[in-house]
Amino acid sequence: MRDPDFRYYLITDRKQCHPRPLTEVVKQACREGIKAVQLREKDLGGRALFALAGELREITRRWEARLFINDRTDVALAVGADGVHCRETGVSPARIKNLQSSLVVGSSVHSIEASRRAEKEGADFLLFGPVFYTASKAKYGAPQGIEALQEVVEAAAVPVFAVGGITPERAPQCRSAGAYGVAGISSVMPADSVEQQVNRWRSILHTL
Amino acid sequence: MRDPDFRYYLITDRKQCHPRPLTEVVKQACREGIKAVQLREKDLGGRALFALAGELREITRRWEARLFINDRTDVALAVGADGVHCRETGVSPARIKNLQSSLVVGSSVHSIEASRRAEKEGADFLLFGPVFYTASKAKYGAPQGIEALQEVVEAAAVPVFAVGGITPERAPQCRSAGAYGVAGISSVMPADSVEQQVNRWRSILHTL
C-alpha cells in the first residue's frame, strides 16, 4: 500500500478520558485534524465494542480520519473500518488480509525480530516501542530507547511509528531516528484541552 | 434454520484436559461420535486462537462435526467454522449474520429476558444455565435449577441446551424439562477416558 496518510496515530483508552465519553474526545481530536484512530478497549465485551466501533466509525468518517480496530477483524468488517491493528501475539496480517484484502494492517512490535516477522506477514506499518517509559506499556518491558527505534526503522521497508511515552518534546528525537510518525494514548486522552494538545502535535510534527 | 443436528455440545477448555493437548481430546471425542464442538479459550491471543481453530476445523471436518467459535466471528470466518457462539454480553446474532448469513449462531443466556432478546436478535439456539452448580460457572450466579430451565424452554421458539453442572445422571431431568440437548466442558475435557465418557453420553441421550 501507499504510505499512511497520517503521522499521528491516536490510540483510545476510555479510562484515561473518563468521565468524558470516549466518543466526545475522539470527536474533538478529529475535528482538530487527527487523521487516524485506533479503537483499543480490550476489556469491553463484544456487544459494547461493536457499538462503540460503530459510533467511532461515524465520527471518523465525518472528519475523514482512518479508523483501525485493535485485534478484532470481525468488528472492523462489521463497521467498515479502514484497518486492523495487530498485537505482537495477535493474528497475522496475512490472515486479516485473507478475510478482506482492502484492510490496512498495522502491527505492534517490541523487537527487531518481531518487526521482521510482521513485515514478512504483510503488515503495512509497524508500531515499535515502548521507546520511553510509560505506565501503560511498562508490562511490555523496559524502555527500548531511540537507538533501538533507529535499528528497527533501518531494517524495515514499511513505515515505523514510535510508541511509548512519546510526548511533543520527545517526538523530534523519534523523527530524527527515522520514525515515520508517532502513536500514543496518554498524550491526548487525558488532556484538559484535547484541542490544544492536538494543535501542539500538529506544530511539532508539521502535520497530523 | 433447521434444528441442530446434535444433542451434545462439547465446549473446550484446554486447561481442563492438560497435559493432554486439546486437539487430541477433541479428536478422540469426534472419533467417538461427538457432533458439535465450541472452541472457547478466552485467554488465548489472536494468533494462537486462529491456529488452534484451524486445527480443530480439520479434525471436526474429518469427523463431520460442527465447529463453533466463541465470540470471534473473524476466527470463524477465517477457518470456515459452521458457527459462532455468543456470550450474553457479546455481539448480537444479527451482527454476526450480517457478516455471513450462513453462520449458525448459538447464544448463552442466563435469564428468560436474555433468552427473549437473543431469540429476537436471531439466535438459532440457546444455552441456558447454570442449571446446576459448577465451578467454572459459579461466577454467573447461583444454579438456576430445572424449573427455570423449563420456563426458558417454554418461552423459546428455538432449541435450548442445558449447561452448568450437567452430568450423565442429571441429563434426563433436563431432557424431561424440555431441553433439546445438553452442553458442557467438565464432563468430557478432564475424563480419564474420553471414549468411555462420550459413549456414556450417547447411551444417556440415545444419540450425540
Side-chain angles (χ1 to χ4, degrees):
Chain A
M1 70 162 237
R2 288 169 310 164
D3 285 345
D5 57 357
F6 53 88
R7 299 279 177 168
Y8 189 88
Y9 186 36
L10 178 65
I11 304 169
T12 73
D13 182 349
R14 69 193 195 290
K15 288 170 186 163
Q16 286 196 34
C17 57
H18 183 82
R20 293 169 300 171
L22 179 62
T23 47
E24 196 50 44
V25 170
V26 170
K27 193 187 289 176
Q28 287 171 12
C30 290
R31 198 166 50 200
E32 291 304 310
I34 285 289
K35 287 288 167 230
V37 176
Q38 180 197 143
L39 175 61
R40 180 181 181 273
E41 304 288 335
K42 297 185 181 185
D43 61 319
L44 278 188
R47 185 174 293 257
L49 192 66
F50 270 74
L52 185 53
E55 291 185 79
L56 294 197
R57 177 70 291 188
E58 285 184 29
I59 294 165
T60 50
R61 187 171 280 137
R62 162 82 181 78
W63 300 100
E64 298 184 2
R66 307 281 160 264
L67 177 65
F68 292 80
I69 309 292
N70 189 287
D71 191 49
R72 297 283 306 235
T73 309
D74 46 358
V75 177
L77 293 173
V79 304
D82 300 285
V84 173
H85 197 86
C86 303
R87 307 167 190 174
E88 193 170 294
T89 58
V91 183
S92 83
R95 287 253 195 204
I96 293 167
K97 296 191 172 200
N98 274 345
L99 287 172
Q100 189 170 304
S101 60
S102 62
L103 286 169
V104 176
V105 180
S107 282
S108 288
V109 295
H110 305 102
S111 69
I112 198 159
E113 293 70 31
S115 74
R116 287 198 177 110
R117 186 180 71 169
E119 193 177 333
K120 199 172 157 191
E121 291 177 343
D124 296 300
F125 63 91
L126 307 175
L127 253 69
F128 175 75
V131 178
F132 304 105
Y133 174 80
T134 180
S136 70
K137 297 279 180 188
K139 63 184 170 193
Y140 297 115
Q144 309 220 39
I146 286 287
E147 284 184 24
L149 171 64
Q150 190 160 357
E151 280 174 30
V152 168
V153 167
E154 285 168 5
V158 297
V160 177
F161 288 74
V163 70
I166 314 290
T167 59
E169 293 74 22
R170 288 160 164 174
Q173 290 177 262
C174 299
R175 292 281 284 141
S176 300
Y180 183 85
V182 300
I185 301 172
S186 54
S187 88
V188 171
M189 284 289 133
D192 287 333
S193 165
V194 170
E195 285 84 349
Q196 278 181 22
Q197 189 68 351
V198 170
N199 282 307
R200 265 183 92 194
W201 276 114
R202 190 202 315 275
S203 57
I204 290 285
L205 296 171
H206 309 300
T207 182
L208 278 171
Chain B
M1 69 161 236
R2 287 170 309 168
D3 285 345
D5 56 358
F6 53 88
R7 300 281 176 166
Y8 188 87
Y9 185 37
L10 178 65
I11 304 170
T12 73
D13 183 348
R14 71 193 193 289
K15 289 170 185 164
Q16 286 197 33
C17 57
H18 183 82
R20 293 170 298 173
L22 179 61
T23 47
E24 196 49 45
V25 170
V26 170
K27 193 186 290 176
Q28 287 172 12
C30 290
R31 197 168 47 202
E32 290 303 311
I34 285 288
K35 288 286 165 231
V37 176
Q38 179 197 143
L39 175 61
R40 179 181 184 274
E41 304 288 334
K42 296 186 182 186
D43 62 319
L44 277 189
R47 184 173 295 257
L49 191 66
F50 270 73
L52 186 53
E55 292 185 80
L56 294 197
R57 176 71 290 187
E58 284 184 29
I59 295 165
T60 49
R61 187 170 281 136
R62 163 80 180 81
W63 300 101
E64 298 185 1
R66 307 282 160 263
L67 177 65
F68 292 80
I69 309 291
N70 189 287
D71 191 48
R72 298 284 306 236
T73 309
D74 45 359
V75 177
L77 293 173
V79 304
D82 300 285
V84 174
H85 196 88
C86 303
R87 308 169 190 173
E88 194 170 292
T89 59
V91 182
S92 83
R95 285 254 194 202
I96 294 168
K97 295 191 173 198
N98 274 344
L99 286 172
Q100 189 170 305
S101 59
S102 62
L103 286 169
V104 176
V105 181
S107 283
S108 287
V109 295
H110 304 104
S111 68
I112 198 159
E113 293 72 30
S115 74
R116 287 198 175 111
R117 187 180 71 168
E119 192 176 333
K120 200 172 156 191
E121 291 177 343
D124 296 300
F125 64 90
L126 306 175
L127 251 70
F128 176 75
V131 178
F132 303 105
Y133 175 82
T134 179
S136 70
K137 297 279 180 189
K139 63 184 171 193
Y140 298 114
Q144 309 220 38
I146 286 286
E147 283 184 25
L149 170 65
Q150 190 160 358
E151 279 174 31
V152 168
V153 166
E154 285 169 5
V158 297
V160 177
F161 288 74
V163 70
I166 314 289
T167 59
E169 293 72 24
R170 287 158 162 176
Q173 289 177 262
C174 299
R175 293 280 285 139
S176 299
Y180 183 83
V182 300
I185 302 172
S186 53
S187 87
V188 172
M189 284 289 133
D192 288 332
S193 165
V194 170
E195 286 84 350
Q196 277 182 21
Q197 188 68 350
V198 170
N199 282 308
R200 264 182 93 193
W201 277 114
R202 190 203 313 276
S203 58
I204 291 284
L205 297 171
H206 307 299
T207 181
L208 278 171

